[in-house]
Structures are given as C-alpha cells and as structure tokens.
C-alpha cells in the first residue's frame, strides 16, 4: 500500500489537485479510465493542438496520474489512480470533520428547541388566564 502525506501543502496533493483543476485534464482522465489512449486520441475531443494536449498530459504525468509509454512513434497513456486516492483521503478527513460539526450543531438546535417548547397545560394557563363565569 502506498502511503501519502495528507498534510496541508503536500507537494503530492498540490500536484494532484492542480492537475484535476482543469476541465480538459479531468476529461482526459475520464477517457483513460476505460482504456489506454494515444496522445492523438486524448486530444481528439478538444479543439487543441497535439502540443497543447502534450502539455496537459505532462501536468498529469507530474502529478503521477498517468503513465506514458512510447511504442514506436506512438505515445500511449494509461491512468494511474493511486494519487487520486490521496486526494480522496484528504477530502474524507474534512467530510468527517464537517459531519461532526454539523452533528454537534444539530444536537444543540434540538436541545434548544426542546427547552423552548412549553408543556401544553402550562402554556395555556400562562398565556391566557381563564375567566370565572358568574351566573346572573
């Protein structure tokens, strides 16, 4: 199992989040999830040059998200999902953090709501005194 540094400012996390911040690179990763593709196949859905596609691929490579293999003159790219796991673990930490905070807030609101509700009998007598009927 690969250990990842989940601390703030981790170069690995910075590279992963930087790489997936761009919609073109996210789309490339989605395409690679199904099968390895050439640089030309990765560039095809976009209105970009092969040089621009290669720059996107280099960012993904530096983040460790893809591996490029050269087969003759063809460069084939394959996804490497392990670095995404480090990002997921970082987000899970904060999901647990916020879930705990929201649970505490909910408990506080329920306690305040329960304390603010008067009981039925006491509420009526406190808000409206009953009049004694006199017979004439």
């Amino acid at each position: 199992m690969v250990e990842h540094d989940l601390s703030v400012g981790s170069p690995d996390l910075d590279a992963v989040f930087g790489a997936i911040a761009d919609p073109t690179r996210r789309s490339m990763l989605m395409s690679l999830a199904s099968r390895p593709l050439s640089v030309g196949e990765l560039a095809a859905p976009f209105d970009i040059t092969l040089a621009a596609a290669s720059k996107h691929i280099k960012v993904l490579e530096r983040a460790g998200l893809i591996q490029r293999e050269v087969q003759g003159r063809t460069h084939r790219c394959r996804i490497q999902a392990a670095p995404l796991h480090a990002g997921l673990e970082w987000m899970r930490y904060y999901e647990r953090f916020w879930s705990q905070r929201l649970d505490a807030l909910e408990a506080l609101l329920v306690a305040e709501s329960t304390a603010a509700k008067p009981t039925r009998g006491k509420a009526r007598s406190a808000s409206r005194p009953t009049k004694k009927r006199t017979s004439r």
Side-chain angles (χ1 to χ4, degrees), residues 13-27 29 56 59-60 63 65 84:
L13 279 178
D14 292 348
V16 168
F17 284 125
I20 62 174
D22 183 85
T24 300
R25 293 191 288 267
R26 286 194 307 269
S27 183
L29 285 175
H56 282 295
V59 171
L60 293 168
L65 294 170
L84 288 172

Side-chain angles (χ1 to χ4, degrees), residues 65-98:
L65 294 170
I66 65 169
Q67 180 181 7
R68 189 189 318 214
E69 299 168 355
V70 180
Q71 298 171 342
R73 292 181 7 175
T74 305
H75 291 231
R76 296 199 79 52
C77 300
R78 172 183 320 278
I79 193 168
Q80 299 293 321
L84 288 172
H85 181 71
L88 179 62
E89 287 302 310
W90 185 85
M91 288 186 280
R92 281 189 180 143
Y93 170 82
Y94 285 99
E95 178 184 31
R96 287 187 300 271
F97 170 82
W98 284 111

Side-chain angles (χ1 to χ4, degrees), residues 117-124:
K117 286 183 184 175
T119 59
R120 285 188 173 178
K122 292 180 182 176
R124 215 176 257 161

Side-chain angles (χ1 to χ4, degrees), residues 23-25 27-28 31 42-49:
T24 300
R25 293 191 288 267
S27 183
M28 287 179 166
S31 297
L42 281 172
F46 309 102
D47 188 23
I48 59 174
T49 64

Side-chain angles (χ1 to χ4, degrees), residues 2-47:
V2 177
E3 292 292 323
H4 297 284
D5 181 13
L6 299 180
S7 63
V8 174
S10 164
D12 293 341
L13 279 178
D14 292 348
V16 168
F17 284 125
I20 62 174
D22 183 85
T24 300
R25 293 191 288 267
R26 286 194 307 269
S27 183
M28 287 179 166
L29 285 175
M30 291 289 290
S31 297
L32 289 170
S34 61
R35 65 185 175 92
L37 298 169
S38 69
V39 172
E41 291 170 322
L42 281 172
F46 309 102
D47 188 23

